């Protein structure tokens, strides 16, 4: 039996970044080192297998989406950095506690608006162009914002932790679009809907920066929710799975489930089925075996790995880089701040390394990646252009 691939946050201290090579301590040096990294021939230390090829697998985290206006976890303005008491909801808590679900969906209801209107940024478009040029063979992302598949539909993307664009029923497995669910939440909670409209009108939700939101009595978190201190979360209501409501499923123990609603159609605590959850892998939840296998195959079939915008603080992501290291794959990291276990990534790299054997930069992805595309000689397609000064274009 395979060991569960679980999303568990790492709470220990992260090491200060050690720049590799030393010349990568400036944006220009980082671009050159990354150019050498992506252009290097396949390492002779890699194991040979029938499905291996000379390609780079990308592993991305929340830092890639910061320039889209979303919060991250451990960046300079990240949730864990500025809010030491922050604790994400865990899978077992969500699935067994009606009050916890009320609180989660109330916060998610307020936070969905900003996530829904946010768009991919220059880092995502640069990943698309690197893929078109053949420098990237596959993307594994921890992000749940769907920006990668939106920006580069033709470059394979594995969403390691799922996505927020839909919901899934815990009992029957039915999927429901988030947009439809959001409308149901608004109908069931008119006072909350009015509060959301007021927040949007006053601009209280215009910024994802925790300090600015805190001044307005709000806290923003990376998984698309908003915390309102002292809010009456217990009054919030949410709908049941429409499939279970019509056809209650047989439960795992063989018994017939029931789904009850109040007079307005909200899920009732008397129900034994019909609980919807976001189609994300919550903390403490195991990643599906098919996703785990696909992620491992993506690592095994590549010749190098490049981590962008991630501190590798979740075991599911860190484990993939550990697997790459065990296969003697060159490792690249582009992330502002420390990365879990990075002190073990580069101990054998020679002093004359120019980035080909490994690279570690502490720079913003939305600034570096478009310039990296230019350094590698890629012409930016006219339909999607960059906003960065290096590209001298404006995205439309």
């Amino acid at each position: 039996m395979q060991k569960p691939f679980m999303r568990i946050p790492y709470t220990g201290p992260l090491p200060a970044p050690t720049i590799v090579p030393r010349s990568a301590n400036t944006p220009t040096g980082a671009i050159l080192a990354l150019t050498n990294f992506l252009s290097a021939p396949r390492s002779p230390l890699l194991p040979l297998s029938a499905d291996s090829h000379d390609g780079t697998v990308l592993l991305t985290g929340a830092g890639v989406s910061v320039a889209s206006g979303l919060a991250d976890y451990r960046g300079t303005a990240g949730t864990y950095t500025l809010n030491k008491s922050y604790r994400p909801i865990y899978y077992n808590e969500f699935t067994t506690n009606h009050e916890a679900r009320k609180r989660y969906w109330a916060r998610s209801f307020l936070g969905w608006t900003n996530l829904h209107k946010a768009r991919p940024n220059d880092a995502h478009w640069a990943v698309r162009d690197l893929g078109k040029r053949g420098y990237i063979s596959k993307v594994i992302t921890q992000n749940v914002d769907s920006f990668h598949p939106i920006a580069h539909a033709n470059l394979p993307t594995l969403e390691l932790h799922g996505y927020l664009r839909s919901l899934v029923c815990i009992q029957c497995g039915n999927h429901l679009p988030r947009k439809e669910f959001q409308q149901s939440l608004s109908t069931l909670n008119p006072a909350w809907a009015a509060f959301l409209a007021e927040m949007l009108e006053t601009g209280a939700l215009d910024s994802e920066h925790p300090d600015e939101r805190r001044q307005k009595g709000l806290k923003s978190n990376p998984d698309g929710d908003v915390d309102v201190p002292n809010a009456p979360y217990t009054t919030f209501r949410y709908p049941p799975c429409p499939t279970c409501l019509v056809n209650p499923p047989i439960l795992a123990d063989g018994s017939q489930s029931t789904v009850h609603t109040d007079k307005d159609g909200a899920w009732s605590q008397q129900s034994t089925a019909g609980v919807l959850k976001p189609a994300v892998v919550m903390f403490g939840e195991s990643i599906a075996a098919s996703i785990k296998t696909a992620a491992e195959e993506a690592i095994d079939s590549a010749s190098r790995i490049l981590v962008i915008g991630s501190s590798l603080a979740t075991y599911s992501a860190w484990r993939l880089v550990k697997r790459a290291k065990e296969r003697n794959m060159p490792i690249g990291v582009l992330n502002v701040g420390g990365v879990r276990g990075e002190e073990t990534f580069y101990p054998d790299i020679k002093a004359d390394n120019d980035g080909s054997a490994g690279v570690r930069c502490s720079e913003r992805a939305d600034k570096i990646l478009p310039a990296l595309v230019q350094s590698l000689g890629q012409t930016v397609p006219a339909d999607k252009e960059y906003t960065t000064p290096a590209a001298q274009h404006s995205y439309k």
Side-chain angles (χ1 to χ4, degrees):
M1 180 180 293
Q2 286 188 326
K3 182 180 179 180
F5 209 11
M6 191 172 289
R7 186 182 182 189
I8 300 174
Y10 174 74
T11 58
L14 295 173
T18 301
I19 304 304
V20 177
R22 292 183 180 180
S23 58
N25 63 348
T26 66
T28 300
I31 293 164
L32 178 58
L34 287 166
T35 298
N36 294 334
F37 180 77
L38 292 180
S39 304
R42 178 185 173 88
S43 171
L45 299 177
L46 284 170
L48 293 176
S49 60
D51 60 350
S52 63
H53 64 276
D54 187 22
T56 300
V57 60
L58 216 60
L59 177 59
T60 70
V64 170
S65 295
V66 169
S68 293
L70 304 185
D72 65 355
Y73 285 104
R74 295 170 180 82
T76 54
T79 297
Y80 283 131
T81 304
L82 299 182
N83 183 8
K84 302 299 183 183
S85 63
Y86 172 71
R87 177 186 176 276
I89 190 169
Y90 276 69
Y91 177 73
N92 184 63
E93 181 183 8
F94 182 92
T95 57
T96 61
N97 191 318
H98 179 44
E99 293 301 318
R101 289 196 294 272
K102 288 182 181 181
R103 182 174 183 269
Y104 177 88
W105 285 127
R107 293 167 53 169
S108 178
F109 173 68
L110 298 177
W112 171 251
T113 301
N114 267 20
L115 178 62
H116 184 57
K117 70 182 181 181
R119 293 294 179 266
N121 63 65
D122 287 350
H124 299 99
W125 300 123
V127 168
R128 173 207 58 186
D129 293 334
L130 291 170
K132 283 185 176 182
R133 188 64 181 261
Y135 288 103
I136 297 173
S137 55
K138 181 166 286 188
V139 176
I140 302 173
T141 185
Q142 302 168 73
N143 298 340
V144 295
D145 51 37
S146 300
F147 290 161
H148 278 294
I150 290 173
H152 46 78
N154 295 323
L155 177 62
T157 299
L158 181 67
E159 294 170 295
L160 188 65
H161 295 156
Y163 40 82
L164 285 171
R165 60 181 178 268
S166 68
L167 295 90
V168 62
C169 177
I170 294 173
Q171 282 76 33
C172 75
N174 174 58
H175 280 252
L176 184 73
R178 176 56 199 255
K179 185 176 181 180
E180 181 179 331
F181 184 74
Q182 184 78 359
Q183 182 57 53
S184 296
L185 293 179
S186 182
T187 301
L188 289 171
N189 302 279
W192 283 85
F195 175 70
L196 174 58
E198 180 183 348
M199 293 299 97
L200 293 173
E201 183 177 353
T202 60
L205 299 178
D206 286 351
S207 173
E208 286 281 352
H209 194 284
D211 284 344
E212 296 175 10
R213 282 197 165 178
R214 192 173 292 109
Q215 291 173 5
K216 299 171 183 177
L218 304 174
K219 297 179 182 179
S220 58
N221 300 310
D223 280 345
D225 69 0
V226 170
D227 187 16
V228 183
N230 302 316
Y233 293 121
T234 189
T235 66
F236 201 82
R237 300 183 295 172
Y238 55 89
C241 165
T243 301
C244 287
L245 184 62
V246 175
N247 186 24
I250 302 298
L251 299 177
D253 62 4
S255 63
Q256 176 65 58
S257 68
T258 59
V259 180
H260 301 278
T261 63
D262 66 15
K263 61 183 179 61
D264 297 319
W267 188 88
S268 169
Q269 202 167 359
Q270 296 174 320
S271 304
T272 58
V275 176
L276 291 163
K277 69 176 285 288
V280 301
V281 179
M282 290 182 156
F283 286 105
E285 181 179 4
S286 294
I287 293 174
S290 59
I291 299 297
K292 175 181 182 293
T293 299
E296 292 174 346
E297 290 176 347
I299 298 298
D300 295 349
S301 63
S303 59
R304 65 188 67 83
I305 183 171
L306 177 58
V307 179
I308 300 181
S310 175
S311 61
L312 302 180
T314 59
Y315 176 76
S316 52
W318 175 81
R319 184 177 182 275
L320 294 175
V321 181
K322 178 176 179 289
R323 187 183 185 92
K325 178 65 178 176
E326 291 170 348
R327 291 175 55 82
N328 295 316
M329 291 172 61
I331 298 173
V333 176
L334 173 60
N335 182 68
V336 176
V339 170
R340 178 185 182 182
E342 66 175 276
E343 66 277 5
T344 67
F345 295 168
Y346 312 106
D348 303 323
I349 291 183
K350 297 179 180 179
D352 60 353
N353 167 52
D354 62 357
S356 301
V359 60
R360 173 61 167 106
C361 312
S362 186
E363 304 285 346
R364 284 178 49 174
D366 63 305
K367 301 299 182 184
I368 296 299
L369 292 184
L372 176 61
V373 170
Q374 288 195 334
S375 175
L376 291 166
Q378 171 70 0
T379 301
V380 181
D383 60 332
K384 299 292 184 185
E385 300 172 337
Y386 301 123
T387 60
T388 53
Q392 298 178 352
H393 288 292
S394 61
Y395 170 63
K396 300 177 182 178

